[in-house]
Amino acid sequence: MLTLKCPYCGVHADETELHPGSEAHLKRYGPGSSDDEFEGYLFMRENPKGVHFERWRHVYGCGKWFLAARDTNTLEVFGTYSAQTTEPPQEIKEAITAKRPGWSWREFQ
Amino acid sequence: MSTRLSSGGRLVNKDKPVEFQFNGKRLKGYEGDTLASALLANDQMLVGRSFKYHRPRGIVASGAEEPNALVNLGQGGKFEPNQRVTTTELFDGLYATSQNHWPTLEFDIGAINTYLARFLPAGFYYKMFMFPRPFWKHVYEPFIRQSAGLGKAPKDRDADTYEHFYAFYDVVVIGGGIAGLTAALEAGKSGARVLVMEQTAAWGGRAVVDGVEIDGQAAEEWVAASVEALQAMENVEIRTRLMGAGVYDHGYLLAYERLRDHLPEEKGPRHRLWRIRTKQIVTATGAIERPISFAGNDLPGVMLASAVRDYVVNWGVSIGDRTVVVTNNDDAYRTAIVLKEAGLDVPAIIDARQGGAGALMDEARGLGIRVETGKAIAKVKGKGRVTGVAICAQAGQGGVLDEIACDCVAMSGGWSPVVHLWSHCGGKLKWDDAQAMFRPDPAKAPKGASGEAFVITAGIANGHLRSADALVDAFEAGRSAAKAAGGKVKAGKAPVAADADEATLEAIWLMPQGASIKLRMKAWLDFQNDVKVSDVQLAAREGFESVEHAKRYTTLGMATDQGKLSNINGLAILSDALDQPIPQTGTTTFRPPYTPISMGAIAGEARDELFQPIRRTPMYQWHEANGADFEPVGHWRRPYAFVRSGESVHDAVNREVMNTREKLGLLDASTLGKLIVKGPDAGKFLDMMYTNMMSTLPVGKCRYGLMCNENGFLSDDGVVARINEDTWLCHTTTGGADRIHAWMEDWLQCEWWDWKVYVANVTEQYAQVAVVGPNARKVLEKIGGMDVSKEAIPFMQWADGELGGIKARVYRISFSGELSYEIAVPASQGRAFWDMLLEAGEEFGVMPYGTECLHIMRAEKGFIMIGDETDGTVIPQDLNLNWAISKKKEDYLGKRAQERSHMADPNRWKLVGLETLDGSVLPDGAYAVAPGLNSNGQRNTIGRVTSTYHSPTLNKGIAMGLVHNGPDRMGDVIEFRKVDGTTVKARIVDQVFYDKDGEKQNV
């Protein structure tokens, strides 16, 4: 059972307090998008053994969604950050690079 | 025979005799006994029957690894099957019965299986129960069910209570032997918050039995002093009868405490499940001795050498008068020496090693014990009980050299560190060839959130079998854990243990080395599940080369002991059969819990009322007192119908429908979700959430809205009211309130975070009552207050005001087709308002109605219900709800998805009404069949029933369903398949069965 730090309220929360929300940094495609774009948005997900970015909600806490960068294999957590961003902040990227040099995930590295 | 010795037994208190029952026999033991030691003291060697062959089974071990001695404990509400006698502490009045036999333990018909053994090899089930196929249901399955399972499931309600306990530590030390105590002392000295736990009732582990000397003291004294020192530390918590059950992600640890198993008369919870978060875990879990595979090694009287020693030293119980020790290592010599010193006879030590043992061999010989090196046991003699052993050369094929009469065989195949807790959360193992064991690989420890190891293993559990090495290792482990957890470690030195030099063990997996098939078929690996050397070899020949496959094919290690004795021996045999080294075969996965824990402990306090919170409306107590037949809706309990005396539930529903249609009905609609959506961008936001246009809704008006997910499928519906310029109130379904609130929050927080919108879930702030029926207006006018006339509040509008002195918000909306007011009042006034309506409504024929009446009335009107007409694959267009989908909006959630080719396909099943030709009620969920078969050989289908009821208003069955091209086939008759294989004909009709023009609601 994971523990993650909610970046909003600062609480180090147990997984029973949190709710997972699948992959982070998805770009929404709506009307006017191609079938391929829409399919990618709706269905195509990363499933890495290693660095991954996820959405979590502090559902039995402050109620805020936040994002987490972690290793799906070792369960190491590189950091959590605001959901109100389209890409991982620089310090998160650096934290990952320090532990996993040469990592990449979708368009980020 | 096994018996109590006149002296010895460090754990038993001979001043405190205890009486207990086994299979109806009244027996005596002492305080401090386990059920195992007490049974053995009464010469009760036979304690159970094995799973497959029903072979007689005796006690093999003295601890948690015991595979055989499982009994039913207690009676009635205290009954529990499959309890290990070796871990059951004796108490006065203990009641145990043996299991898996018929008619009696001593004479078991099932034992015939042992003579059929050659026809019941590994994988027998898979081979035998395949053909002919019809046999499965009527012959094989009943047979397997009859013979499956060891104990019987309890029939009565568990009379005990249980609890969960949450705790946080810097360092948790698992294991109360000398390694665990050493690690705990070091961690404790650093100032860290420490918990140290021991699964048994006694501290000290094996060292106290083996008489190790530590820092010049006897182990017993050293242990007592250490426990005292730990008790004196304020930052240290120490507990016995607490077992580390499982290690999980990020330092989560489950531990299982047995509080009252030995004190059944005392009050309080029986078991406690500790849910611990800790920075560091030290596993000082010791090791388990391995049996040796030789013919007849499952006969009662054959026991682990360490267990024989434990029974003598700890409980003063001898297993037999003449014990033959068979071993491949030095440790078993200690058993021979202990027995000899207790005045018992040891006719021989059979050591498979040519060179024999080290210093302990000399000591044994000095005591006059005959030591045979390079020898093996060809077979154990006896039927139901050991009477002797036949000796052969280990290197040979079993040619008998000598026979020795004995009534106990003490075997030792070496020791396996208890690596379970290390492995639960990803710790890896390495093979130690010299000691023939898997041990933790510290380079591949379980890692925590920081990426650093959070489990450290110490002592024997880390592969240091000698006490001297174990203490040095544990000392370092305790310090490392303390340091990693932020403690301050000062200089110090490890306790020094003195133990004898030992010769190296020789890996012996089969005895003798070239044992014939006849011997191998009698050489047991897994005593509980009846897996023999020959079975594992057969599995390998049949291609089950992966250890995980071989395990499942043979059931090796799948019994309740999870292979604590059998796994390493089994995979060594498998490796040998596959001609590959043991590490290449690897181990099966270790999964928590370490030993079975009670279901009660897992449930904890979560039973009855506390199992799941129930949400109650402000009117709940009235419902309860007035015949409500409740149904769960989410966490709510809603009245399905209010049943009067002499009525069936069905009668009540019909009465409620007719009364509401003709007079006046009241529905407690408080559970309906109510979300306030407010802010400068609220209109824009709701236009994205709903398929309709909500931003243009005028203040004071209501609009029915649909919500879809991004797949385009319908997810929720409800009436939206515009409260003021920047505020909307969105009604959701009862079950949807929290989900839709979360859904809105998700989009606001993660996609349109720059939009200025605030959402609040005010569901429980209001009690809501639907006042429905031709007399609805009359009752409100009688109560008095705000103007509720058609002119003041026309259909699909709302108004704020006061009714009978209570602040109210009145919505003119109808889910029944009748004149209807849904009235929201503050929750605290809900009951008063409900009572007021009932009183005032008496003269108008008021009756409350439940959810089934609501469902029938909405179905008569052809209104959809989320969860009936929708199932996560239905789009609004399927339900002919195009009128509720904005054509003007560029975007809404689900719009793009609904443009996909198969969503826009004109051939989708669409909603229609259905009427059976004979007036009967269609079965719910029934499929309409078409000619021909699909590719799976099933009938083709062209539709299905989504809602179906008996309509009391129309006095016939009515239904809605999704039918292929349904709306274009009005008047057609199609056939629905019933469960009994017959069909029923139904005509496709308009989905609105009652008041098609809506005249009744708009008055």
Side-chain angles (χ1 to χ4, degrees), chain A residues 1-3 14 28 30-31 33-35 38 41-43 55 57 63-65 75-77 84-85 99, chain B residues 249-250 252 277 447 449-451 688 710-711 742 746-747 749-751 753 890-891 893 896-897 900:
Chain A
M1 199 158 55
L2 303 178
T3 47
D14 207 284
R28 180 172 186 264
S33 58
S34 71
D35 281 351
F38 188 65
Y41 158 57
L42 210 50
F43 300 117
R55 283 158 29 94
R57 188 179 182 210
K64 292 290 189 188
W65 282 96
L75 308 183
E76 181 169 359
V77 179
Q84 296 165 4
T85 175
K99 297 288 189 72
Chain B
D249 309 343
H250 293 185
Y252 187 61
R277 281 278 177 196
K447 300 242 169 55
S450 64
M688 287 304 295
E710 278 285 68
N711 276 295
D746 190 348
W747 288 98
Q749 290 182 32
C750 304
E751 186 70 23
W753 59 75
E890 269 180 29
D891 195 3
L893 297 180
R896 174 64 183 84
R900 287 179 292 173

Side-chain angles (χ1 to χ4, degrees), chain B residues 456-538:
Chain B
I456 299 177
T457 176
I460 292 178
N462 194 19
H464 299 289
L465 294 185
R466 306 267 316 282
S467 298
D469 306 333
L471 288 183
V472 172
D473 186 55
F475 177 80
E476 288 306 328
R479 293 165 74 88
S480 304
K483 229 182 283 179
K488 288 193 175 55
V489 179
K490 297 186 197 96
K493 84 187 212 314
V496 179
D499 43 10
D501 275 340
E502 292 183 17
T504 53
L505 144 159
E506 194 175 317
I508 300 291
W509 306 114
L510 182 61
M511 193 171 253
Q513 180 201 302
S516 66
I517 179 68
K518 214 174 145 198
L519 295 179
R520 280 181 274 136
M521 278 183 70
K522 294 279 180 219
W524 259 255
L525 290 167
D526 186 321
F527 300 114
Q528 190 179 136
N529 266 0
D530 277 324
V531 182
K532 298 158 296 177
V533 169
S534 55
D535 293 321
V536 172
Q537 290 170 333
L538 177 70

Side-chain angles (χ1 to χ4, degrees), chain B residues 889-954:
Chain B
K889 291 197 295 193
E890 269 180 29
D891 195 3
Y892 60 80
L893 297 180
K895 183 176 170 74
R896 174 64 183 84
Q898 288 161 4
E899 290 167 355
R900 287 179 292 173
S901 57
H902 56 290
M903 296 292 178
D905 187 345
N907 281 319
R908 286 180 72 84
W909 291 4
K910 292 203 166 177
L911 192 69
V912 290
L914 297 164
E915 265 181 17
T916 52
L917 300 190
D918 60 5
S920 64
V921 178
L922 277 169
D924 201 4
Y927 273 82
V929 289
L933 301 177
N934 67 15
S935 55
N936 291 327
Q938 301 156 320
R939 280 292 290 274
N940 284 322
T941 56
I942 51 165
R944 62 185 165 85
V945 174
T946 56
S947 287
T948 176
Y949 301 95
H950 170 75
S951 161
T953 317
L954 306 169

